[in-house]
Amino acid sequence: MANETLLFLSQLLKRPLQISALAPSSRALATAMATAIPEGASRVAEFGPGTGRITRAILARGISPDELTLYEMNAEFCAELARRFPGVRIENRPAQEISDAGPGDLDAVVSGLPLLSMPADIRRAIVGAAFAVLRPGGVYIQFTYGSRPSLPEELRAALGLAVRPAQSVLWNLPPAHVHVYSRTGDPSGTA
C-alpha cells in the first residue's frame, strides 16, 4: 500500500489536473463501487483505475481478470496496473475511445474519472461512449465528491439516462457518493 500511495502522490504532483483527487480511493469507496455491479455481471470496464484500488474490489466481486478492461491515460499507472493485475486488459487511452477498442456488450462500466472537473462535451463523450458498449440492462457506476450526480439533469435527459443513488461513503477523503446510471425505462438498472 505504501508503494501505491507513493505512486499516486508522484503522479498527483506531475499531473494534478489529470489526477484531480487528494488521495487514492479508500477501500470503503472501492467496495461500494464494486458492490453496485449487478449480480451475475461478467464483462466490465473500468475508467480511470489509477493505482488499482477499485480494480482490486472489482476482481474481489468475482469478475474474471480476462473479462475486465481498464482505460487509463497515465502510462505510469498502466505499467503498475499490468504488474499488479495479470490477465486484465489495459488500454492506455481515453475512456471515450472505448468503442474503438473492441466489441461491446458490457454489463457494467465503473468510473473513477473526475467528471465534474471536465468540460461538458468530454463528459458527454465519455458517458455516451460507455452506453454505446453497454448491453441492454447494463449500468454506468460513477462516484462524485458532491452529493449531486456527476451528470446534470439536462445531460441525463439528452442521453436518455436515469440515475439512482447507490451509497454514500464517509470513510473516503473527501467523502464520496456513488451513483448508478442506466437507460431510461430500463428496469434492471434502476431497481
Side-chain angles (χ1 to χ4, degrees):
M1 292 307 158
N3 287 342
E4 185 175 298
T5 302
L6 287 175
L7 175 62
F8 176 86
L9 292 174
S10 74
Q11 294 307 299
L12 177 61
L13 292 172
K14 288 180 186 176
R15 298 171 182 87
L17 294 177
Q18 188 183 61
I19 304 299
S20 288
L22 299 173
S25 298
S26 68
R27 282 190 191 99
L29 177 56
T31 299
M33 295 286 282
T35 300
I37 297 171
E39 286 293 325
S42 61
R43 296 194 65 225
V44 175
E46 182 184 0
F47 291 171
T51 61
R53 182 76 50 94
I54 295 172
T55 308
R56 192 175 297 113
I58 292 169
L59 294 169
R61 175 97 166 123
I63 303 301
S64 174
D66 62 337
E67 295 290 346
L68 177 59
T69 304
L70 310 178
Y71 289 83
E72 175 58 60
M73 289 180 29
N74 183 301
E76 291 183 50
F77 283 159
C78 286
E80 186 61 20
L81 292 163
R83 187 186 70 72
R84 287 187 186 157
F85 304 108
V88 171
R89 181 175 162 191
I90 300 165
E91 295 284 339
N92 185 199
R93 60 169 65 198
Q96 59 268 39
E97 293 180 8
I98 187 170
S99 58
D100 298 340
D105 203 27
L106 295 176
D107 297 303
V109 172
V110 179
S111 174
L113 295 175
L115 288 185
L116 288 176
S117 67
M118 296 177 176
D121 60 328
I122 302 239
R123 267 188 273 174
R124 183 184 183 118
I126 289 168
V127 178
F131 276 93
V133 297
L134 282 165
R135 66 166 180 75
V139 297
Y140 179 89
I141 303 159
Q142 177 72 52
F143 77 84
T144 183
Y145 297 127
S147 58
R148 292 186 182 149
S150 298
L151 299 178
E153 189 173 338
E154 53 280 358
L155 182 53
R156 293 193 309 264
L159 293 172
L161 302 179
V163 63
R164 68 174 172 84
Q167 191 172 347
S168 293
V169 182
L170 300 178
W171 292 103
N172 192 71
L173 181 63
H177 303 275
V178 178
H179 293 96
V180 177
Y181 296 83
S182 59
R183 291 176 183 91
T184 303
D186 188 344
S188 61
T190 58

mmCIF file of all heavy atoms in Angstrom, residues 99-121:
data_model
loop_
_atom_site.group_PDB
_atom_site.id
_atom_site.type_symbol
_atom_site.label_atom_id
_atom_site.label_comp_id
_atom_site.label_asym_id
_atom_site.label_seq_id
_atom_site.Cartn_x
_atom_site.Cartn_y
_atom_site.Cartn_z
ATOM 1 N N SER A 99 -15.291 2.406 -27.526
ATOM 2 C CA SER A 99 -15.917 1.700 -28.642
ATOM 3 C C SER A 99 -14.916 1.359 -29.748
ATOM 4 O O SER A 99 -15.164 0.470 -30.558
ATOM 5 C CB SER A 99 -17.092 2.502 -29.202
ATOM 6 O OG SER A 99 -16.657 3.772 -29.623
ATOM 7 N N ASP A 100 -13.751 2.028 -29.772
ATOM 8 C CA ASP A 100 -12.712 1.733 -30.759
ATOM 9 C C ASP A 100 -11.874 0.513 -30.382
ATOM 10 O O ASP A 100 -11.164 -0.033 -31.215
ATOM 11 C CB ASP A 100 -11.740 2.917 -30.903
ATOM 12 C CG ASP A 100 -12.428 4.174 -31.386
ATOM 13 O OD1 ASP A 100 -13.528 4.074 -31.966
ATOM 14 O OD2 ASP A 100 -11.867 5.258 -31.169
ATOM 15 N N ALA A 101 -11.931 0.106 -29.118
ATOM 16 C CA ALA A 101 -11.005 -0.906 -28.608
ATOM 17 C C ALA A 101 -11.490 -2.343 -28.741
ATOM 18 O O ALA A 101 -10.743 -3.260 -28.475
ATOM 19 C CB ALA A 101 -10.696 -0.618 -27.137
ATOM 20 N N GLY A 102 -12.710 -2.524 -29.139
ATOM 21 C CA GLY A 102 -13.178 -3.892 -29.254
ATOM 22 C C GLY A 102 -14.682 -3.980 -29.132
ATOM 23 O O GLY A 102 -15.375 -2.970 -29.054
ATOM 24 N N PRO A 103 -15.194 -5.198 -29.089
ATOM 25 C CA PRO A 103 -16.640 -5.387 -29.058
ATOM 26 C C PRO A 103 -17.255 -4.898 -27.748
ATOM 27 O O PRO A 103 -16.585 -4.839 -26.718
ATOM 28 C CB PRO A 103 -16.798 -6.902 -29.194
ATOM 29 C CG PRO A 103 -15.504 -7.472 -28.733
ATOM 30 C CD PRO A 103 -14.455 -6.449 -29.064
ATOM 31 N N GLY A 104 -18.523 -4.554 -27.821
ATOM 32 C CA GLY A 104 -19.245 -4.055 -26.659
ATOM 33 C C GLY A 104 -19.880 -5.172 -25.865
ATOM 34 O O GLY A 104 -19.276 -6.200 -25.616
ATOM 35 N N ASP A 105 -21.141 -4.987 -25.517
ATOM 36 C CA ASP A 105 -21.904 -5.966 -24.745
ATOM 37 C C ASP A 105 -21.398 -6.079 -23.312
ATOM 38 O O ASP A 105 -21.349 -7.162 -22.741
ATOM 39 C CB ASP A 105 -21.906 -7.321 -25.446
ATOM 40 C CG ASP A 105 -23.091 -8.170 -25.031
ATOM 41 O OD1 ASP A 105 -24.123 -7.588 -24.649
ATOM 42 O OD2 ASP A 105 -22.986 -9.394 -25.054
ATOM 43 N N LEU A 106 -21.015 -4.951 -22.728
ATOM 44 C CA LEU A 106 -20.561 -4.943 -21.341
ATOM 45 C C LEU A 106 -21.753 -4.932 -20.387
ATOM 46 O O LEU A 106 -22.810 -4.385 -20.691
ATOM 47 C CB LEU A 106 -19.701 -3.712 -21.063
ATOM 48 C CG LEU A 106 -18.377 -3.604 -21.810
ATOM 49 C CD1 LEU A 106 -17.697 -2.276 -21.478
ATOM 50 C CD2 LEU A 106 -17.477 -4.761 -21.470
ATOM 51 N N ASP A 107 -21.556 -5.516 -19.224
ATOM 52 C CA ASP A 107 -22.573 -5.497 -18.174
ATOM 53 C C ASP A 107 -22.483 -4.229 -17.330
ATOM 54 O O ASP A 107 -23.496 -3.766 -16.807
ATOM 55 C CB ASP A 107 -22.406 -6.717 -17.263
ATOM 56 C CG ASP A 107 -22.630 -8.007 -18.017
ATOM 57 O OD1 ASP A 107 -23.711 -8.168 -18.600
ATOM 58 O OD2 ASP A 107 -21.712 -8.857 -18.030
ATOM 59 N N ALA A 108 -21.276 -3.710 -17.169
ATOM 60 C CA ALA A 108 -21.098 -2.516 -16.331
ATOM 61 C C ALA A 108 -19.828 -1.775 -16.726
ATOM 62 O O ALA A 108 -18.856 -2.383 -17.169
ATOM 63 C CB ALA A 108 -21.016 -2.904 -14.853
ATOM 64 N N VAL A 109 -19.877 -0.466 -16.546
ATOM 65 C CA VAL A 109 -18.693 0.388 -16.623
ATOM 66 C C VAL A 109 -18.590 1.064 -15.264
ATOM 67 O O VAL A 109 -19.556 1.658 -14.774
ATOM 68 C CB VAL A 109 -18.799 1.443 -17.747
ATOM 69 C CG1 VAL A 109 -17.636 2.421 -17.670
ATOM 70 C CG2 VAL A 109 -18.849 0.773 -19.115
ATOM 71 N N VAL A 110 -17.435 0.944 -14.641
ATOM 72 C CA VAL A 110 -17.165 1.517 -13.331
ATOM 73 C C VAL A 110 -16.190 2.666 -13.540
ATOM 74 O O VAL A 110 -15.104 2.467 -14.078
ATOM 75 C CB VAL A 110 -16.572 0.448 -12.385
ATOM 76 C CG1 VAL A 110 -16.269 1.045 -11.026
ATOM 77 C CG2 VAL A 110 -17.516 -0.747 -12.260
ATOM 78 N N SER A 111 -16.578 3.873 -13.128
ATOM 79 C CA SER A 111 -15.768 5.047 -13.438
ATOM 80 C C SER A 111 -15.266 5.770 -12.198
ATOM 81 O O SER A 111 -16.047 6.187 -11.346
ATOM 82 C CB SER A 111 -16.565 6.022 -14.298
ATOM 83 O OG SER A 111 -15.840 7.223 -14.478
ATOM 84 N N GLY A 112 -13.955 5.950 -12.158
ATOM 85 C CA GLY A 112 -13.313 6.763 -11.138
ATOM 86 C C GLY A 112 -12.851 8.087 -11.714
ATOM 87 O O GLY A 112 -12.041 8.785 -11.109
ATOM 88 N N LEU A 113 -13.341 8.432 -12.902
ATOM 89 C CA LEU A 113 -12.931 9.681 -13.548
ATOM 90 C C LEU A 113 -13.533 10.893 -12.833
ATOM 91 O O LEU A 113 -14.676 10.842 -12.370
ATOM 92 C CB LEU A 113 -13.382 9.690 -15.014
ATOM 93 C CG LEU A 113 -12.742 8.637 -15.909
ATOM 94 C CD1 LEU A 113 -13.376 8.677 -17.293
ATOM 95 C CD2 LEU A 113 -11.240 8.848 -15.998
ATOM 96 N N PRO A 114 -12.795 11.992 -12.795
ATOM 97 C CA PRO A 114 -13.305 13.220 -12.159
ATOM 98 C C PRO A 114 -14.213 13.993 -13.120
ATOM 99 O O PRO A 114 -13.854 15.059 -13.625
ATOM 100 C CB PRO A 114 -12.021 13.984 -11.843
ATOM 101 C CG PRO A 114 -11.079 13.572 -12.936
ATOM 102 C CD PRO A 114 -11.403 12.129 -13.226
ATOM 103 N N LEU A 115 -15.395 13.445 -13.394
ATOM 104 C CA LEU A 115 -16.272 14.043 -14.398
ATOM 105 C C LEU A 115 -16.599 15.504 -14.136
ATOM 106 O O LEU A 115 -16.660 16.303 -15.070
ATOM 107 C CB LEU A 115 -17.579 13.251 -14.509
ATOM 108 C CG LEU A 115 -17.509 11.880 -15.168
ATOM 109 C CD1 LEU A 115 -18.908 11.295 -15.309
ATOM 110 C CD2 LEU A 115 -16.815 11.920 -16.513
ATOM 111 N N LEU A 116 -16.796 15.871 -12.876
ATOM 112 C CA LEU A 116 -17.182 17.252 -12.583
ATOM 113 C C LEU A 116 -16.107 18.267 -12.941
ATOM 114 O O LEU A 116 -16.409 19.442 -13.146
ATOM 115 C CB LEU A 116 -17.570 17.400 -11.112
ATOM 116 C CG LEU A 116 -18.906 16.772 -10.731
ATOM 117 C CD1 LEU A 116 -19.146 16.901 -9.236
ATOM 118 C CD2 LEU A 116 -20.053 17.396 -11.515
ATOM 119 N N SER A 117 -14.865 17.833 -13.027
ATOM 120 C CA SER A 117 -13.795 18.765 -13.374
ATOM 121 C C SER A 117 -13.539 18.797 -14.888
ATOM 122 O O SER A 117 -12.622 19.469 -15.340
ATOM 123 C CB SER A 117 -12.505 18.411 -12.630
ATOM 124 O OG SER A 117 -11.992 17.181 -13.086
ATOM 125 N N MET A 118 -14.357 18.088 -15.655
ATOM 126 C CA MET A 118 -14.174 18.012 -17.113
ATOM 127 C C MET A 118 -15.196 18.893 -17.823
ATOM 128 O O MET A 118 -16.308 19.080 -17.322
ATOM 129 C CB MET A 118 -14.354 16.571 -17.581
ATOM 130 C CG MET A 118 -13.329 15.617 -17.039
ATOM 131 S SD MET A 118 -13.707 13.942 -17.606
ATOM 132 C CE MET A 118 -12.298 13.079 -16.918
ATOM 133 N N PRO A 119 -14.831 19.394 -19.009
ATOM 134 C CA PRO A 119 -15.803 20.150 -19.806
ATOM 135 C C PRO A 119 -17.016 19.270 -20.153
ATOM 136 O O PRO A 119 -16.895 18.048 -20.268
ATOM 137 C CB PRO A 119 -15.025 20.528 -21.072
ATOM 138 C CG PRO A 119 -13.580 20.379 -20.710
ATOM 139 C CD PRO A 119 -13.519 19.319 -19.653
ATOM 140 N N ALA A 120 -18.161 19.909 -20.324
ATOM 141 C CA ALA A 120 -19.413 19.184 -20.581
ATOM 142 C C ALA A 120 -19.324 18.283 -21.811
ATOM 143 O O ALA A 120 -19.861 17.175 -21.807
ATOM 144 C CB ALA A 120 -20.557 20.175 -20.735
ATOM 145 N N ASP A 121 -18.628 18.737 -22.876
ATOM 146 C CA ASP A 121 -18.559 17.910 -24.091
ATOM 147 C C ASP A 121 -17.751 16.636 -23.860
ATOM 148 O O ASP A 121 -18.071 15.583 -24.416
ATOM 149 C CB ASP A 121 -18.010 18.711 -25.281
ATOM 150 C CG ASP A 121 -16.612 19.252 -25.053
ATOM 151 O OD1 ASP A 121 -16.252 19.585 -23.899
ATOM 152 O OD2 ASP A 121 -15.857 19.367 -26.044
#
